[in-house]
Amino acid sequence: MKKLYKQFNDLNLDINIEPMEVSTVEKERVKRNVMMVKKKRQFIKNFIVAATFFIAFSMTLGYTFPTFAANLPFIGNIFELFIDDERYVFNNYDHYSTSVGVSQESNEVEVTVTDAVYDGENITIAYTIKSEKDLGERPVLYGENRELTAEEFGNRYRYDGYSTNYLVQKINSNEYAVLYIFELIRGSKPEEVHINFQGNQIVDLNNVNNSVAGDWAFEFTLEKLESETIKVEKDSMKTEGEGIKIEAFKITKTPISTTFYLSEEVLVEKENEAWRGVLIDYIVTDDLGNDYNVIHFRGTSHNTDFKGRGNFPRIVANNFDEQATSIMITPVVGVYKIKDSTGALEPIKEPYTLKPIVVPIK
């Protein structure tokens, strides 16, 4: 990793460089390195250094056997399994999700898509994986050329403008439940999407060397839920301090979640010519004292290799307590350096908070 950073430093980078795909597998590898410094404080999340990678796989495809799965025991219950997960953010999924209920088996691994929902901000797909093979602790359906496409998107989300998240739970020794969350960060958000959800591997996110090749593909249509978007007046919802300015500029509320669009401006100083990076996490609470789960898209982060660049993160939270009158978004700032040649990061000071951004909701 250290060698890779040196190579980046030697490059004459063009700011208009074409963005490239970052595979799920590579993201998990980077996250795992960063997680080495996470344990000191629960609210410090993993941090992806501004780098992109390509990774290629060789694989052998098997045969698939699509079947309808209306009588499977977990149909309609996948979302409920994740209610206690700290990243579960969806409310009232049972009123708004679309039942799919289709299974496909390939190379002795059965994948069943049970439900899906599209609210204009995220496409969330619930599915199970079942096999007698050892699939590890967090197996997911993985596609070399991306798992989710829609004809309405064209090439808009081919390389960027989206982010993916997985919630995985082991149901028993042979079966797993997965929530796949495809975040539409930038770009078109059509009223209807014809989804192609496919993969050519089952990959364990805890051990990416553990994978099973195969061929699974599902097609279904989702309609966008109604939503309300509020554009925030400049400088009306912000916080700043210690060279950092964070501002909310758009809020979108759907029947199942609320999304805050933020801008970050951060000045990162080098110390003794050493690389420094800044990670900002967010805690979301209300004036009644309730804490809310969030899914955090971090954007490009901040470090001394890319000084002065803005960042536009996004946080998706639960819908809020009906009695609450305001929401507080509290930034938690961590400053890091590279620990060793593995590329793992370590904090150089205790994380600190900035004054919260207050968002009136009534």
Side-chain angles (χ1 to χ4, degrees):
M1 183 69 80
K2 186 175 182 179
K3 182 180 179 181
L4 186 60
Y5 281 124
K6 186 177 185 305
Q7 292 173 337
F8 284 160
N9 289 335
D10 292 339
L11 290 174
N12 182 19
L13 291 175
D14 181 352
I15 195 66
N16 296 317
I17 190 171
E18 181 73 17
M20 298 183 294
E21 183 78 56
V22 181
S23 74
T24 300
V25 173
E26 193 55 45
K27 285 181 180 178
E28 288 299 321
R29 284 176 174 161
V30 176
K31 285 180 180 178
R32 196 164 55 251
N33 280 335
V34 176
M35 288 293 286
M36 295 170 62
V37 301
K38 176 185 175 184
K39 295 181 180 179
K40 283 189 175 182
R41 301 291 293 267
Q42 184 176 0
F43 50 75
I44 298 302
K45 309 293 184 184
N46 45 2
F47 176 57
I48 300 176
V49 180
T52 55
F53 305 87
F54 272 129
I55 188 168
F57 291 94
S58 300
M59 59 193 66
T60 302
L61 301 182
Y63 294 101
T64 58
F65 302 94
T67 59
F68 292 101
N71 295 321
L72 291 179
F74 291 104
I75 294 294
N77 295 329
I78 298 298
F79 284 87
E80 289 183 357
L81 293 174
F82 293 94
I83 287 177
D84 293 330
D85 191 293
E86 65 177 9
R87 292 193 300 159
Y88 183 83
V89 298
F90 305 106
N91 294 91
N92 302 319
Y93 73 90
D94 50 336
H95 293 151
Y96 298 101
S97 61
T98 297
S99 178
V100 179
V102 175
S103 295
Q104 290 198 349
E105 182 173 347
S106 176
N107 202 2
E108 300 179 2
V109 179
E110 181 183 87
V111 177
T112 301
V113 174
T114 62
D115 303 271
V117 61
Y118 167 47
D119 66 353
E121 300 296 306
N122 310 282
I123 297 170
T124 304
I125 299 173
Y127 64 93
T128 61
I129 302 174
K130 188 176 182 179
S131 178
E132 296 295 327
K133 296 182 177 181
D134 179 11
L135 302 179
E137 293 299 315
R138 296 178 64 214
V140 299
L141 181 66
Y142 174 76
E144 184 181 16
N145 296 316
R146 191 150 47 82
E147 297 84 25
L148 189 149
T149 58
E151 61 185 58
E152 290 81 3
F153 295 160
N155 289 325
R156 183 61 188 86
Y157 293 104
R158 183 179 180 186
Y159 293 128
D160 67 347
Y162 72 96
S163 181
T164 56
N165 290 275
Y166 297 90
L167 278 63
V168 184
Q169 187 173 133
K170 193 171 186 176
I171 300 172
N172 55 52
S173 58
N174 300 110
E175 193 166 9
Y176 306 82
V178 183
L179 285 186
Y180 172 79
I181 305 162
F182 186 92
E183 295 185 87
L184 289 76
I185 307 299
R186 292 180 294 275
S188 61
K189 299 176 180 179
E191 293 298 316
E192 184 180 76
V193 287
H194 292 79
I195 301 293
N196 187 338
F197 183 59
Q198 61 184 349
N200 48 17
Q201 288 187 94
I202 302 296
V203 175
D204 179 10
L205 296 178
N206 283 3
N207 177 14
V208 296
N209 294 319
N210 182 12
S211 64
V212 177
D215 184 14
W216 303 265
F218 304 86
E219 294 183 348
F220 49 90
T221 301
L222 300 174
E223 294 184 359
K224 186 171 74 172
L225 303 181
E226 293 184 358
S227 64
E228 178 186 10
T229 296
I230 302 171
K231 291 187 177 180
V232 179
E233 184 178 351
K234 187 173 176 56
D235 290 334
S236 63
M237 297 182 190
K238 67 176 182 179
T239 185
E240 54 188 323
E242 302 194 32
I244 298 173
K245 178 181 178 182
I246 303 169
E247 184 171 6
F249 65 89
K250 187 172 74 173
I251 302 169
T252 298
K253 185 174 182 179
T254 80
I256 58 175
S257 63
T258 301
T259 301
F260 297 95
Y261 289 81
L262 307 174
S263 65
E264 296 174 348
E265 296 179 22
V266 178
L267 176 62
V268 187
E269 296 289 350
K270 285 188 176 181
E271 294 181 11
N272 301 322
E273 298 303 316
W275 182 94
R276 292 288 183 269
V278 169
L279 163 67
I280 302 175
D281 281 292
Y282 294 95
I283 297 173
V284 177
T285 57
D286 65 22
D287 58 329
L288 302 179
N290 295 312
D291 298 321
Y292 295 96
N293 293 345
V294 299
I295 292 178
H296 181 190
F297 170 72
R298 302 181 185 283
T300 55
S301 77
H302 311 275
N303 62 69
T304 46
D305 284 349
F306 299 98
K307 189 175 181 180
R309 297 178 63 180
N311 187 33
F312 297 94
R314 188 182 95 157
I315 52 177
V316 181
N318 303 79
N319 283 334
F320 306 115
D321 190 314
E322 294 181 354
Q323 303 302 315
T325 60
S326 62
I327 298 300
M328 277 69 75
I329 304 172
T330 303
V332 183
V333 181
V335 184
Y336 296 82
K337 67 177 182 180
I338 296 176
K339 181 180 180 180
D340 51 38
S341 60
T342 68
L345 306 179
E346 64 179 2
I348 62 173
K349 60 190 297 186
E350 283 294 313
Y352 60 93
T353 61
L354 297 180
K355 185 179 178 181
I357 300 170
V358 179
V359 181
I361 57 175
K362 287 186 179 178

